[in-house]
Amino acid sequence: MRVAVIGLGSMGMGAALNLLKAAGLEVCGVDPRETARAEFAAAGGSAVARAADLPEGTEAVLVLVVNAAQAEAALFGPEGAAPRLAPGAVLVVSVTFAPDDARRLAAKAEAAGLLYVDAPVSGGAAGARAGAMTVMASGSEAAMARAKTVLDAVAKKVWHLGEAPGLGSTVKVVHQLLAGVHIAAAAEAMALGIRAGVDPRGLYEVVTGAAGNSWMFENRMPHVLDADETPRSAVDIFVKDLGLVGDLARAVAFPAPLAAQAHQLFVSARAQGHGGVDDAFVIRAYQALSGIRLPGEEGGPSGGTQ
């Protein structure tokens, strides 16, 4: 089976590497960055800069790009994959975007004689590398069956939420409400502790062993303690995703005040020039408000987790 992965970023690379390990798959990665293509080629895959250069007759495409515009261009744009695909090929679109975007792309796929799975994912870069992502999928039985080999290689759990495109994306947007609010709350707690003179590493150890812990606090706050801004998932991602939460909430006349406040904190961090750093550094918004110094900064507290 010829498979393509469009987007060899933090999650796409992990997914592509796991597909390489699956029996019977020929895997081609697509990414405009030469460094990403070289990394994938070094692992034994093939890689091209444009989706239009995929091998003819590709039977499945996993899309892991940033937003709907990138996904649409990669699949149906002038340099998109569609003309290179086999009849009845399946598109597994694992992009966090609005449910309406999923429905629109699914309609384009159907018109082109292609199958479509609305398949946003969770698990981050580590989950992708481990082949342990969670997939929130919706699509026809035929599309799910065609995508099974791909999904089995990259996921520990695939939720089939129904046949209608947009259902997977709706669940992912709701999930991102929790993820974004939890990261903002984790940053707020750490910032308050620092402002109050608490040892940040001690605070981390207490919280992660007590009822106030969350997956996001435990996973993200070590990045702050280690002064490590490397973007596993960037502030800009949650500017986008919490914006999608607000859009969905307005569309169904639902108040979402916690999501709205968290969104503004990520927007604030972005406005300060931190959009491209790890999302844990939404804590910069609290730093600007309170004047605290973070671990690793001159005059800041020690806090390394190592």
Side-chain angles (χ1 to χ4, degrees):
M1 185 180 194
R2 288 181 176 173
V3 178
V5 178
I6 299 179
L8 298 176
S10 59
M11 296 187 73
M13 181 65 77
L17 292 173
N18 278 290
L19 286 164
L20 277 181
K21 300 174 189 176
L25 299 184
E26 298 176 21
V27 187
C28 182
V30 181
D31 201 287
R33 298 168 301 148
E34 184 177 355
T35 54
R37 298 196 305 272
E39 180 182 348
F40 189 57
S46 62
V48 295
R50 309 180 310 155
D53 295 328
L54 284 170
E56 189 170 355
T58 295
E59 300 163 84
V61 181
L62 176 62
V63 184
L64 279 158
V65 295
V66 172
N67 55 35
Q70 289 185 4
E72 185 167 11
L75 293 171
F76 302 112
E79 296 186 348
R84 309 296 292 173
L85 304 184
V90 63
L91 309 179
V92 182
V93 182
S94 297
V95 181
T96 300
F97 50 32
D100 282 347
D101 289 321
R103 290 186 277 267
R104 180 170 50 81
L105 291 182
K108 285 196 167 191
E110 183 177 6
L114 304 171
L115 298 170
Y116 188 96
V117 179
D118 177 23
V121 296
S122 180
R129 290 270 176 173
M133 295 191 294
T134 296
V135 181
M136 303 158 224
S138 60
S140 67
E141 293 293 342
M144 293 297 296
R146 193 71 184 271
K148 186 177 187 304
T149 300
V150 172
L151 294 174
D152 285 349
V154 302
K156 68 175 180 181
K157 178 67 177 180
V158 178
W159 295 97
H160 188 197
L161 300 165
E163 295 207 357
L167 288 173
S169 288
T170 299
V171 171
K172 179 60 187 292
V173 170
V174 174
H175 174 277
Q176 292 306 87
L177 184 160
L178 291 167
V181 169
H182 288 178
I183 294 169
E188 182 171 296
M190 183 60 72
L192 174 60
I194 292 170
R195 172 75 174 195
V198 171
D199 169 56
R201 182 174 183 181
L203 175 62
Y204 177 82
E205 291 174 350
V206 170
V207 171
T208 54
N213 192 30
S214 69
W215 191 94
M216 286 299 190
F217 186 95
E218 187 165 352
N219 181 266
R220 295 307 205 265
M221 287 306 100
H223 306 168
V224 174
L225 298 176
D226 292 340
D228 181 5
E229 295 186 338
T230 305
R232 293 81 167 175
S233 171
V235 165
D236 278 343
I237 294 295
F238 277 94
V239 172
K240 172 181 74 80
D241 289 3
L242 287 170
L244 293 172
V245 173
D247 291 344
L248 177 62
R250 284 187 293 275
V252 298
F254 182 84
L258 296 180
Q261 183 61 55
H263 187 217
Q264 289 303 303
L265 290 164
F266 281 98
V267 170
S268 175
R270 179 183 187 178
Q272 295 166 45
H274 307 299
V277 305
D278 188 83
D279 55 30
F281 286 85
V282 69
I283 199 170
R284 297 288 187 194
Y286 292 101
Q287 183 178 36
L289 291 168
S290 65
I292 61 172
R293 294 188 182 277
L294 300 180
E297 295 178 345
E298 184 178 354
S302 61
T305 59
Q306 301 302 318

